[in-house]
Amino acid sequence: MPFIELEALCYQREDWQLKAAFSLERGECLAVIGPSGAGKSTLLSLIAGFERLISGSIRINGRDYTTAEPADRPVTSLFQEHNLFAHLSVKKNVGLGRHPGLRLNQKDHLAIDQALEAVGLSGYHHRLPESLSGGERQRVALARCLCREHPLMLLDEPFAALDPALRSEMRGLIHQLIKSHDLTVIMVSHHPDEAAEIASSGIFLHQGELKAKGVMSDLLNNPQLPLLRAYLGVS
Amino acid sequence: MDQRVASLHESLTGRSQLRVPGWLPGGLSLLVISLILFASLSALFFNAQLASLTTTLFDPYLLRVLRFTLWQASLSTLLSVLLAIPVARALARRTTFRGRSVLLLLLGLPVATPVIVVIFGIVEIYGNNGTLNHLIRLFGFSFQVNLYGLTGILIAHLFFNMPLAVRMLLPAWNQIPDESWRLASQLGMKSGSLFKLIEWPVLRRVLPGSAGIIFLLCFASFAIVLVLGGGPRATTIEVAIYQALRFDFEPSKAALLALIQLVICTLTVALLHHWLRALPLSSGLATTSQNRPDLNQPGSRLIDFGIILVATTFVALPLLALLRAGLTGPVLSVISDQSLWSAALNSLMIAIAAAGIAFSLGMALLTTSRYLRFHRKQPNRSELLELSGSLTLVVPPMVIATGLFSLLLPFGFVFDWGLVLVAMINGLMVLPYVIRLVGPALLANGEHYHHLCSELGIRGWHQFKLIDWPIIRHPAAFSMGLCATLSFGDLGVVALFGTHDAMTLPLLLYHRIGAYQFEAASVTALILALLCLVVFRVIDLLIGGRRALH
């Protein structure tokens, strides 16, 4: 049984529609590519539960989450921005992944320390987000994702605002965390080549429809679909 | 099975929380507001004897009152806005002179100064024995300025609303892009064409809304007309309501007047709805420095500072006069008077209760409004709910009070519960300030964090304590301080419900002015003004913390 099963998802906003269906194995890393307005972020919002489906179902690890509240889903997200509460310290920001009211026990404190260590930010506990660089902020958010111990991580272009070198460093970190924490990842990317470094498979969205799904290297190096060829700029 | 074990585990470890539906707080708040309005308005309709409406409507007294109310409100609005334009323009042109921030603070002072106190200061300057007439006599002229009547009403309305108009117009200059100024300097535009081609178009967008708000304020002005109107010649609807209830004992006449008041206010808001919504929310008065080409035009500096000086003097004079009169008055005998302090205590309780009511209702409305906007994706309903907090702009406090007064009169305990009613109605009156001051911060928080909060399950009390309160603390403290100050100094509905046993400080001051005890009144006025400042500072400090001292 696949780890994630999205069956006949259908979402509508005014006259725009999103339709998709696919499944994913545990430990897989899937890249979502496509032009802007294709519905990449909406797809993640649906899985996270920020938006409601018209029809279709979402099953994760054999359980149905179609109508579950975002907080009740075994999902953790990393957004492009506003991942941290600007007025709370690094430790509190990470701690909110353990308890929404920051009632933390010994185990939680340990988990926070380990997560911060995993993203290379030990000793940053009492810093405020404003004193961190863009890359460090996203690492703190990543630490909170780890703390939540949810198996499915959704990345909505969290590194888009970073410099190329930093982006590559963060990809390396994600790649390593996927292995060490047994994560399943769905990531939206505007840079298919970069996504291919960590994603084994990919899907291509166009105007709200899933047009292609396959192994990432096949999609990029040998695109059959004219729409995908046009998107990638392959003649 | 898995799920049940998990939820059992959650409840045992205290990780689950009672889930309050997002619509509930705002829904309850709306219910309370609607109930009060409904009770009050239905009492008005019931009492107004609409059958005799046509005959009463053409009653010459009523027509005269109505005509004067509209006339003084229109004139006050026109003057306030027309005079505010050059003042705002001078302040927009001179962005960096020394003392500008102090001056802007002074322009903000009238909003929080009790009306009755200002009236006292105005009488000191422009009254029959005031400084102005004294000077006129000194120079040997034989005429004298007669304050009471339209003149006094206009001066007082100008004192409050000209600075308000400046504050509402000034942000418009920030909307002018720098490119416009650069282009204008290349084209060699002079001051006149700058105003016509660059400044007027942005001003035109905020003028109707600003004028509308000032019209509503002047239309429903009570204390100013009561004291400075000087008799039946210059009576407005609000004062006529008060007289009908407290002197003529004619609840049906009062109810009819209140309904007329309601209809005109509603019409004004409906007419200006579009512009009122577009009014900028910014409470800041900092104008970005502008590279306008007419800054060094000959004489422009002189004109600007001349205008600023005149405006400043106009606002500062009554306040200074009040200070002088208060300090030279019989300070000791006034402050050793027990009745002053018991009135002050009543005022304080009303102020705290009103601020508490306004903040609770406002927060509930805003929380649900945010929920509707971000979780339910219903921006229209969200906006509508927020607007319901500003209903008191449409339904003036005096109208609500008249309704409740005539509703409770038959039961005979109107005056026992007077102060409670005053606190409640004052709470509704200051509610728009909470909405406007706290709303933007809370909405911005929602915009940034609503996905994060819903994914992490941060809601209810946790969300308030950890996420919202740290952000809204300062605007919340400021708005509660303002609400308390406004209620503390308000002489409006309390005139209807107040008695000798249930006296507030503004009412006491009004009685002293009415009894021509001007010396005692001057000290009382100064104490009232100072206590207002203290109430504001203490609340701002207690709630906002030390950093609130700006």
Side-chain angles (χ1 to χ4, degrees):
Chain A
M1 190 174 56
F3 182 58
I4 299 161
E5 285 179 280
L6 306 181
E7 259 180 18
L9 295 192
C10 183
Y11 167 81
Q12 179 133 17
R13 179 175 54 211
E14 285 150 26
D15 57 350
W16 185 87
Q17 230 184 16
L18 175 73
K19 284 188 164 156
F22 61 88
S23 58
L24 215 58
E25 295 299 331
R26 181 145 200 160
E28 224 181 313
C29 178
L30 176 88
V32 184
I33 59 173
S36 22
K40 304 187 294 292
S41 294
T42 309
L43 179 65
L44 292 202
S45 285
L46 287 169
I47 300 172
F50 304 136
E51 307 278 356
R52 295 272 162 212
L53 288 170
I54 293 182
S55 60
S57 71
I58 298 171
R59 293 179 72 80
I60 303 170
N61 212 1
R63 218 197 289 168
D64 188 84
Y65 286 101
T66 312
T67 56
E69 289 292 316
D72 300 335
R73 302 183 182 210
V75 170
T76 180
S77 310
L78 203 55
F79 310 108
Q80 194 166 351
E81 50 172 10
H82 299 304
N83 277 303
L84 301 183
F85 296 106
H87 60 282
L88 296 179
S89 69
V90 165
K91 182 172 181 178
K92 284 183 176 169
N93 264 297
V94 177
L96 279 172
R98 301 293 295 188
H99 186 274
L102 282 181
R103 264 182 247 134
L104 304 174
N105 56 32
Q106 208 54 45
K107 219 177 117 203
D108 296 327
H109 286 293
L110 196 68
I112 294 168
D113 292 343
Q114 281 171 350
L116 279 175
E117 200 184 319
V119 298
L121 291 178
S122 315
Y124 276 60
H125 292 67
H126 301 295
R127 300 271 291 269
L128 280 178
E130 60 186 16
S131 72
L132 303 178
S133 71
E136 286 167 339
R137 277 181 218 165
Q138 295 302 61
R139 282 168 191 244
V140 175
L142 205 50
R144 184 179 53 222
C145 288
L146 296 178
C147 253
R148 300 193 65 203
E149 294 172 355
H150 285 335
L152 176 60
M153 194 190 275
L154 305 177
L155 308 179
D156 192 356
E157 293 195 79
F159 312 130
L162 305 181
D163 292 336
L166 212 51
R167 278 217 297 272
S168 138
E169 193 189 315
M170 292 300 283
R171 279 197 302 279
L173 179 62
I174 296 265
H175 194 60
Q176 177 202 328
L177 293 175
I178 290 175
K179 298 274 174 273
S180 61
H181 287 72
D182 189 22
L183 296 171
T184 309
V185 172
I186 302 179
M187 62 185 292
V188 166
S189 179
H190 264 123
H191 302 277
D193 299 335
E194 293 183 6
E197 284 178 27
I198 44 176
S200 45
S201 55
I203 56 174
F204 171 65
L205 291 183
H206 186 268
Q207 289 181 353
E209 274 182 60
L210 197 156
K211 294 287 189 190
K213 177 178 189 322
V215 177
M216 199 57 186
S217 53
D218 285 352
L219 285 180
L220 295 191
N221 301 329
N222 191 18
Q224 302 296 323
L225 195 72
L227 280 171
L228 178 57
R229 294 175 71 92
Y231 170 67
L232 294 171
V234 193
S235 55
Chain B
M1 191 61 202
D2 238 17
Q3 210 155 5
R4 274 166 55 196
V5 171
S7 72
L8 184 68
H9 172 75
E10 279 192 344
S11 57
L12 284 178
T13 50
R15 304 233 154 178
S16 77
Q17 208 193 337
L18 186 69
R19 285 187 191 181
V20 179
W23 54 265
L24 191 64
L28 281 180
S29 194
L30 188 63
L31 188 70
V32 170
I33 297 171
S34 324
L35 271 181
I36 296 173
L37 287 184
F38 179 75
S40 161
L41 293 183
S42 50
L44 286 183
F45 278 109
F46 187 70
N47 272 293
Q49 292 163 352
L50 294 175
S52 60
L53 183 65
T54 42
T55 48
T56 348
L57 261 187
F58 297 106
D59 175 34
Y61 166 76
L62 205 67
L63 282 178
R64 202 174 62 233
V65 168
L66 183 59
R67 207 162 44 225
F68 182 78
T69 310
L70 287 170
W71 172 236
Q72 62 82 20
S74 312
L75 215 53
S76 305
T77 308
L78 197 70
L79 283 176
S80 303
V81 174
L82 281 185
L83 292 175
I85 292 175
V87 179
R89 187 172 191 241
L91 283 168
R93 291 215 289 193
R94 308 293 156 193
T95 50
T96 51
F97 64 91
R98 191 187 286 247
R100 188 175 187 270
S101 52
V102 177
L103 208 143
L104 289 176
L105 202 69
L106 181 75
L107 287 183
L109 215 52
V111 179
T113 319
V115 177
I116 186 78
V117 166
V118 171
I119 292 172
F120 193 86
I122 284 174
V123 172
E124 283 287 313
I125 300 286
Y126 306 96
N128 296 352
N129 287 314
T131 319
L132 184 65
N133 278 319
H134 194 65
L135 281 176
I136 290 175
R137 280 195 292 275
L138 203 69
F139 285 106
F141 296 106
S142 56
F143 71 92
Q144 77 161 21
V145 175
N146 185 17
L147 181 66
Y148 296 95
L150 188 60
T151 321
I153 295 174
L154 287 182
I155 291 178
H157 278 167
L158 265 184
F159 176 89
F160 284 103
N161 296 312
M162 190 272 287
L164 180 67
V166 171
R167 289 172 69 96
M168 288 194 283
L169 296 183
L170 206 46
W173 270 271
N174 283 336
Q175 292 171 12
I176 302 174
D178 228 20
E179 288 79 14
S180 296
W181 298 122
R182 284 188 213 139
L183 205 59
S185 14
Q186 273 186 345
L187 297 172
M189 284 191 198
K190 293 269 177 290
S191 194
S193 27
L194 285 180
F195 184 75
K196 208 171 84 186
L197 296 172
I198 295 181
E199 295 170 285
W200 178 246
V202 290
L203 268 181
R204 216 176 45 188
R205 266 182 268 160
V206 291
L207 270 177
S210 316
I213 284 186
I214 292 176
F215 179 83
L216 286 171
L217 290 173
C218 295
F219 186 78
S221 160
F222 174 70
I224 288 173
V225 181
L226 182 67
V227 183
L228 294 177
R233 220 165 22 87
T235 291
T236 58
I237 299 180
E238 293 245 331
V239 175
I241 290 173
Y242 166 71
Q243 277 156 351
L245 282 183
R246 286 304 291 261
F247 296 106
D248 308 338
F249 304 106
E250 286 188 73
S252 66
K253 191 165 113 194
L256 185 69
L257 286 164
L259 281 181
I260 293 173
Q261 176 92 333
L262 178 70
V263 168
I264 294 178
C265 288
T266 313
L267 279 179
T268 313
V269 170
L271 216 66
L272 293 170
H273 171 69
H274 172 70
W275 287 284
L276 287 175
R277 269 174 49 174
L279 218 56
L281 272 170
S282 127
S283 56
L285 285 170
T287 3
T288 48
S289 78
Q290 294 165 336
N291 282 321
R292 29 188 312 158
D294 62 341
L295 283 182
N296 297 314
Q297 213 167 301
S300 75
R301 182 173 290 268
L302 196 71
I303 294 174
D304 284 346
F305 285 113
I307 291 173
I308 292 173
L309 186 72
V310 170
T312 314
T313 314
F314 176 69
V315 174
L317 271 184
L319 300 176
L320 290 175
L322 169 77
L323 197 64
R324 197 198 64 177
L327 289 177
T328 53
V331 179
L332 277 182
S333 75
V334 171
I335 59 171
S336 54
D337 180 2
Q338 184 59 42
S339 63
L340 178 92
W341 297 110
S342 71
L345 191 66
N346 280 338
S347 287
L348 186 67
M349 289 195 298
I350 289 175
I352 291 174
I357 289 170
F359 187 70
S360 321
L361 288 177
M363 276 305 290
L365 282 179
L366 287 171
T367 312
T368 293
S369 160
R370 179 173 69 170
Y371 166 78
L372 288 176
R373 181 177 302 256
F374 295 112
H375 286 259
R376 302 287 289 271
K377 312 261 188 311
Q378 297 169 329
N380 290 333
R381 282 194 189 181
S382 155
E383 205 167 307
L384 219 58
L385 191 67
E386 228 179 289
L387 272 180
S388 73
S390 300
L391 267 178
T392 39
L393 261 183
V394 188
V395 194
M398 196 59 103
V399 172
I400 305 175
T402 312
L404 294 182
F405 190 93
S406 40
L407 182 73
L408 299 176
L409 197 60
F411 301 104
F413 51 75
V414 170
F415 297 107
D416 303 336
W417 288 82
L419 294 186
V420 176
L421 287 172
V422 171
M424 194 177 77
I425 297 170
N426 273 348
L428 287 184
M429 179 182 80
V430 293
L431 179 57
Y433 292 93
V434 175
I435 304 263
R436 284 182 67 119
L437 288 166
V438 181
L442 208 62
L443 274 187
N445 237 13
E447 202 174 336
H448 293 160
Y449 299 135
H450 78 283
H451 278 170
L452 199 52
C453 283
S454 60
E455 184 169 284
L456 296 172
I458 306 172
R459 56 187 151 237
W461 172 244
H462 288 155
Q463 187 176 16
F464 180 77
K465 192 182 80 177
L466 289 171
I467 312 301
D468 292 335
W469 183 243
I471 302 293
I472 63 165
R473 186 172 175 179
H474 294 295
F478 183 82
S479 74
M480 274 197 270
L482 189 63
C483 286
T485 311
L486 288 173
S487 312
F488 190 86
D490 181 55
L491 176 66
V493 289
V494 73
L496 280 192
F497 295 110
T499 60
H500 276 285
D501 302 322
M503 186 67 76
T504 66
L505 205 46
L507 197 56
L508 181 74
L509 177 56
Y510 172 61
H511 283 252
R512 285 184 176 166
I513 293 176
Y516 296 101
Q517 303 169 354
F518 282 116
E519 295 200 320
S522 65
V523 182
T524 315
L526 184 60
I527 290 173
L528 175 54
L530 291 178
L531 284 181
C532 271
L533 284 181
V534 171
V535 165
F536 178 79
R537 264 283 174 252
V538 168
I539 289 183
D540 198 21
L541 214 67
L542 276 183
I543 297 169
R546 290 194 68 82
R547 280 206 306 155
L549 255 173
H550 354 252

